[in-house]
Amino acid sequence: MLAERAFFNKQKADCDATLQSLPWWDSIEDSSAFSCTECSSSLLFQADASNAEPTLIASGCKACAAEFSAEETVTMIVESVFAVDEFERVKDGGEQTIYDCPECAYPTYVQAGMYVGCYYCQYVIEGECARCFTDLNINNQSVNNPSLCDYCDHVTSRDD
């Protein structure tokens, strides 16, 4: 039993090593939460360990040999790592954690933890509203005018 555990730990360390060059890797606290959509194994790896660009990930699962696209991989990782946190936050009346990215439209924009932004395209909402100077974030940035908050966009676009 100990030999099996040691073998699994070695496999997991090897898989994790292939993902360490990704820009948000340091914000992942527990990679054991990763879960293959085919077999639920946490043995997800990147074929090219030197790749640091999330949009170019070609990955797979060592347990079942399933292959995944970059979009599938990043979405799997985001859901595995942040879905429980999101459930707890929303259950307690807080804001959600995972959003559809305004730039790439994948459900990979995370507003929690050390890395706030899209785990896939690396889009980050920064700055403040050009009209009222409120800090912009995923909850208040206008979809029609990214330099304004929703309220200011509404006020400036209405016909009186």
Side-chain angles (χ1 to χ4, degrees), residues 41-103:
S41 170
S42 64
L43 297 177
L44 300 177
F45 68 95
Q46 179 176 208
D48 178 8
S50 65
N51 174 44
E53 178 61 45
T55 59
L56 300 176
I57 295 173
S59 73
C61 174
K62 264 202 177 168
C64 70
E67 295 180 354
F68 303 104
S69 68
E71 300 88 0
E72 292 171 318
T73 303
V74 176
T75 300
M76 251 189 307
I77 289 172
V78 166
E79 288 176 355
S80 297
V81 173
F82 295 101
V84 172
D85 181 46
E86 178 170 57
F87 174 77
E88 292 293 325
R89 287 176 79 169
V90 172
K91 182 182 80 160
D92 294 337
E95 295 289 331
Q96 69 186 72
T97 304
I98 304 169
Y99 297 87
D100 290 342
C101 176
E103 189 72 15

Side-chain angles (χ1 to χ4, degrees), residues 7-18 35-47 59-68 76:
F7 176 76
F8 177 82
N9 288 342
K10 169 77 170 98
Q11 294 296 311
K12 181 66 178 149
D14 291 347
C15 289
D16 287 354
T18 68
S35 181
C36 171
T37 55
E38 302 294 320
C39 70
S40 299
S41 170
S42 64
L43 297 177
L44 300 177
F45 68 95
Q46 179 176 208
S59 73
C61 174
K62 264 202 177 168
C64 70
E67 295 180 354
F68 303 104
M76 251 189 307

Side-chain angles (χ1 to χ4, degrees), residues 113-129:
M114 291 174 30
Y115 183 91
V116 174
C118 182
Y119 276 59
Y120 180 70
C121 71
Q122 300 175 15
Y123 176 72
V124 177
I125 297 172
E126 298 177 312
E128 53 189 29
C129 175

Side-chain angles (χ1 to χ4, degrees), residues 23-29 82 110-117 119:
W24 34 257
W25 178 257
D26 292 337
S27 68
I28 304 292
E29 294 177 14
F82 295 101
V110 175
Q111 189 161 298
M114 291 174 30
Y115 183 91
V116 174
Y119 276 59

